[in-house]
Amino acid sequence: MPKLLKVEGYRFFKNLAVWVLAVGLLCMALFLSSDQTDLLLAEETIEGIITSTMKITNLLIVLIVSVAIGTYVGKEFKQKTICYEIMRGFRFWQISFIKTIPCGFILAAILQGGIILYASIMQKNCHVYSLERYLLMYLIICHICTCVVLFAMLFKDGAIGGCLAFVRFTMLNVAALFLAEIILPRNLYELYTTLSPMSQWSVVINV
């Protein structure tokens, strides 16, 4: 297991797409907050601009994670790397668990680092988010990343796994909340919304 983790870490950090997408997320967030776009002109305060940008960033994170992890894991299946690891005696659950560490926890940390850098650039000396809120953001991103890994490994196809994860955290999430509001009593609906990652993100980012 330690040897497999070392090899997996080497492959992950060598993957240029991960770093390009992470930097792209930061640049997109800065662009959305700049004077070059009229998307957030209704916001008059720096706190309002950051909150509005972070709402859009959530969707960007889901898209980036779905593409990055889907491409990374899909490449492993296409090149038969996972098959070779199984032939060497590793179990499928062990390989899946090892992939969750870089693709789930480390990728989430990289994206969270970009969010902290963005907030630092925007807020300057004004502390908009507390350490607790940054930790909660990281846990939500971890949830998204690990789900993408799970779907990709279960279907043994990065493209299918990435697409399913994107649909799960966007359209399916909205549809589920809509149906829950109609079907469930108010107290159960409020409980359900607290379990939704998208709803949790909206609460955490509000300044």
Side-chain angles (χ1 to χ4, degrees):
M1 288 281 281
K3 186 177 181 181
L4 183 60
L5 178 59
K6 183 178 179 180
V7 173
E8 193 66 41
Y10 173 77
R11 289 186 199 135
F12 178 81
F13 286 110
K14 191 181 176 182
N15 193 328
L16 183 61
V18 172
W19 301 103
V20 170
L21 290 171
V23 172
L25 175 66
L26 174 61
C27 294
M28 182 61 72
L30 290 172
F31 173 74
L32 290 171
S33 303
S34 69
D35 297 331
Q36 303 302 316
T37 175
D38 59 355
L39 188 62
L40 305 177
L41 282 181
E43 303 295 343
E44 298 180 353
T45 63
I46 189 67
E47 290 83 1
I49 291 174
I50 291 175
T51 300
S52 297
T53 302
M54 290 294 285
K55 289 179 181 178
I56 301 172
T57 301
N58 186 28
L59 294 175
L60 293 175
I61 287 174
V62 175
L63 177 61
I64 285 173
V65 165
S66 299
V67 172
I69 297 178
T71 303
Y72 178 79
V73 176
K75 185 178 179 182
E76 298 283 291
F77 279 110
K78 286 183 179 179
Q79 294 181 345
K80 306 295 183 181
T81 306
I82 294 176
C83 294
Y84 296 143
E85 289 173 345
I86 292 175
M87 291 172 62
R88 288 170 55 195
F90 294 106
R91 296 181 181 276
F92 190 76
W93 71 265
Q94 291 176 318
I95 299 170
S96 301
F97 175 75
I98 290 298
K99 288 194 181 300
T100 302
I101 295 176
C103 293
F105 304 116
I106 297 178
L107 179 58
I110 293 171
L111 295 175
Q112 183 61 45
I115 290 173
I116 294 172
L117 182 58
Y118 160 75
S120 300
I121 293 171
M122 290 298 299
Q123 65 191 5
K124 297 179 181 178
N125 295 325
C126 176
H127 298 287
V128 175
Y129 295 121
S130 63
L131 180 61
E132 180 185 21
R133 290 204 179 197
Y134 281 130
L135 177 60
L136 291 173
M137 289 180 199
Y138 172 72
L139 292 175
I140 294 170
I141 298 174
C142 272
H143 180 189
I144 296 171
C145 291
T146 52
C147 279
V148 179
V149 176
L150 175 64
F151 288 142
M153 294 301 290
L154 283 177
F155 287 91
K156 300 182 180 180
D157 189 299
I160 294 175
C163 289
L164 285 176
F166 182 78
V167 171
R168 179 259 180 270
F169 286 108
T170 53
M171 292 179 284
L172 187 60
N173 183 76
V174 173
L177 287 172
F178 177 75
L179 290 174
E181 187 176 12
I182 297 174
I183 299 172
L184 298 177
R186 190 63 189 177
N187 58 338
L188 290 179
Y189 170 73
E190 291 176 355
L191 176 62
Y192 177 77
T193 55
T194 59
L195 301 176
S196 168
M198 303 299 105
S199 299
Q200 293 168 354
W201 183 268
S202 298
V203 172
V204 170
I205 65 171
N206 280 328
V207 178

